[in-house]
């Protein structure tokens, strides 16, 4: 069995306790000052922003995507790979900014368009300028509108049947098959072979259609109001956890003083961790909230274990000084 210290008897409660208390007070002061002056670098979840999920036809590197996006001045960019590496799928989060680069309440659609434009290759942009449509990214409504402008109006069948499919029906069939293929077409010829796509539409798509390097899998927009509400709920969650700990310790040990001491320890640990986020300027996001709540859990676990040992030793060593019992515990 691994043993690091043999007959460990550290004097933590005589002399050195003042050093530890002074060090904690200093670190707490720095953490609180950092939070008060620097504040937090709030992520999209709290400050608002746009999240775009894209799937690439070929392997893509997060570093290359970040370089392309940062050239658009979209603020803080977060890129996360989704699924397996062979899926070539990424979730891209951009800070909520105006097209001019100023912070504010721009629409999520504007930001998502900027993200998609930044991810396109020069060949894709040239094809778009030439009037070609990207069959991997165009929406169903956009495709129906494009087809309606280029196909003759459908006429009823002579026998009173349904007649030729409408542009909306053609677009729905194409998008349905695109989703069935994982959101990406590999060849324009696949579009013309889809059931429900008449030859006239297949000819137009083959002549004016192109396949971009990625498919749009989803867009999510978080407004600043929702971000503030989430931040407020986060504070309530942490406060509720602290109050729950206070009540639990009181029931467990029947001592309010011990409960207050446990809460002070929790505030101490979480404040230092939050202050480190403010000092370093790291993004304050939902995973950080989960980490702070995890710190709460580990902190109260350590506190309860030590309190339980103190209570046990107080019964066994009634003649010993309280600080001596605490030190041994």
């Amino acid at each position: 069995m691994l043993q690091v210290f043999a007959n460990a008897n550290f004097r933590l409660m005589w002399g050195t306790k003042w050093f530890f208390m002074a060090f904690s007070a200093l670190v707490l002061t720095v953490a609180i000052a950092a939070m008060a002056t620097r504040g937090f670098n709030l992520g999209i979840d709290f400050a608002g922003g746009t999240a775009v999920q894209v799937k690439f036809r070929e392997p893509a590197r997060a570093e290359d995507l970040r370089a392309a996006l940062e050239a658009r001045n979209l603020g803080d960019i977060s890129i996360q790979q989704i699924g397996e590496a062979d899926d070539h799928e990424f979730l891209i989060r951009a800070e909520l900014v105006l097209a001019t680069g100023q912070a504010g309440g721009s629409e999520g659609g504007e930001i998502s368009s900027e993200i998609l434009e930044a991810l396109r290759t020069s060949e894709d942009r040239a094809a778009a300028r030439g009037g070609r449509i990207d069959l991997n990214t165009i929406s169903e409504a956009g495709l129906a509108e494009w087809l309606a402008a280029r196909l003759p109006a459908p006429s009823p069948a002579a026998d009173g049947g349904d007649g030729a499919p409408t542009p909306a029906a053609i677009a729905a069939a194409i998008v349905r098959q695109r989703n069935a293929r994982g959101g990406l077409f590999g060849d324009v010829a696949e579009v013309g072979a889809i059931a429900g796509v008449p030859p006239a539409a297949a000819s137009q798509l083959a002549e004016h259609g192109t396949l971009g390097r990625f498919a749009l899998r989803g867009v999510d927009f978080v407004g600043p109001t929702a971000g503030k509400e989430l931040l407020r709920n986060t504070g309530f969650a942490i406060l509720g956890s602290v109050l729950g700990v206070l009540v639990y310790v009181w029931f467990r040990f029947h001592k309010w003083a011990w409960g207050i001491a446990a809460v002070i320890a929790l505030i101490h640990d979480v404040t230092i961790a939050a202050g480190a986020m403010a000092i370093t300027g790291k993004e304050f996001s939902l995973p950080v909230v989960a980490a702070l709540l995890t710190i709460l859990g580990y902190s109260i676990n350590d506190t309860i274990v030590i309190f339980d040992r103190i209570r046990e030793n107080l019964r066994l060593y009634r003649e010993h000084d309280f600080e001596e019992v605490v030190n041994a515990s």
Side-chain angles (χ1 to χ4, degrees):
M1 182 177 179
L2 177 64
Q3 184 175 9
V4 179
F5 300 106
N7 300 321
N9 184 22
F10 304 108
R11 298 177 63 83
L12 302 177
M13 293 297 295
W14 295 280
T16 53
K17 71 177 181 180
W18 299 112
F19 169 79
F20 290 124
M21 293 174 66
F23 180 76
S24 288
L26 175 62
V27 175
L28 278 174
T29 302
V30 173
I32 294 173
M35 289 187 288
T37 57
R38 295 172 59 92
F40 294 108
N41 177 22
L42 298 178
I44 293 172
D45 298 314
F46 298 107
T50 303
V52 177
Q53 185 174 340
V54 292
K55 180 181 178 67
F56 290 87
R57 286 195 298 160
E58 299 176 353
R61 298 196 314 160
E63 297 80 6
D64 298 334
L65 302 181
R66 184 180 301 278
L69 291 166
E70 288 179 347
R72 293 271 173 171
N73 297 321
L74 298 176
D76 290 337
I77 298 293
S78 172
I79 301 177
Q80 176 185 357
Q81 188 164 10
I82 300 176
E84 302 295 333
D86 294 340
D87 294 336
H88 311 150
E89 197 161 348
F90 293 86
L91 179 64
I92 300 171
R93 298 172 180 262
E95 184 183 25
L96 181 65
V97 294
L98 292 172
T100 57
Q102 298 175 345
S106 74
E107 294 296 331
E110 179 184 349
I111 304 301
S112 60
S113 298
E114 288 281 342
I115 293 175
L116 297 179
E117 185 63 23
L119 297 178
R120 290 190 172 95
T121 63
S122 56
E123 293 80 5
D124 293 340
R125 297 191 187 101
R129 288 193 297 268
R132 299 170 70 88
I133 60 169
D134 187 348
L135 297 174
N136 279 334
T137 59
I138 191 169
S139 66
E140 182 177 331
L143 181 57
E145 182 179 353
W146 186 88
L147 289 170
R150 287 163 176 79
L151 296 178
S155 58
D159 58 358
D162 294 336
T166 63
I170 299 172
I174 293 174
V175 172
R176 186 164 53 249
Q177 286 298 315
R178 185 176 68 187
N179 294 336
R181 288 173 166 81
L184 285 167
F185 288 120
D187 194 321
V188 177
E190 297 177 8
V191 181
I194 295 173
V197 178
S203 176
Q204 288 288 334
L205 293 170
E207 182 179 355
H208 301 287
T210 184
L211 300 178
R213 66 183 296 217
F214 60 85
L216 178 62
R217 303 290 284 167
V219 176
D220 188 21
F221 172 65
V222 180
T225 302
K228 291 179 181 178
E229 182 179 355
L230 184 60
L231 185 62
R232 183 171 61 252
N233 292 338
T234 298
F236 289 153
I238 295 177
L239 179 61
S241 300
V242 171
L243 293 177
V245 166
L246 180 62
V247 173
Y248 170 77
V249 173
W250 179 67
F251 276 108
R252 175 75 181 270
F253 299 101
H254 304 288
K255 294 179 181 293
W256 274 108
W258 288 24
I260 294 174
V263 170
I264 292 175
L266 293 181
I267 296 174
H268 169 273
D269 297 343
V270 173
T271 301
I272 291 177
M277 296 297 298
I279 293 173
T280 59
K282 296 294 185 180
E283 184 181 78
F284 192 92
S285 58
L286 287 180
V288 174
V289 174
L292 293 177
L293 293 176
T294 302
I295 290 175
L296 282 175
Y298 278 110
S299 178
I300 191 59
N301 179 73
D302 294 342
T303 303
I304 293 300
V305 169
I306 295 175
F307 278 1
D308 195 56
R309 182 56 60 85
I310 291 175
R311 181 177 61 176
E312 178 183 347
N313 287 337
L314 283 174
R315 296 170 179 171
L316 295 176
Y317 307 104
R318 298 178 181 273
E319 70 281 1
H320 287 71
D321 182 70
F322 180 72
E323 286 196 354
E324 185 178 356
V325 173
V326 171
N327 189 83
S329 301

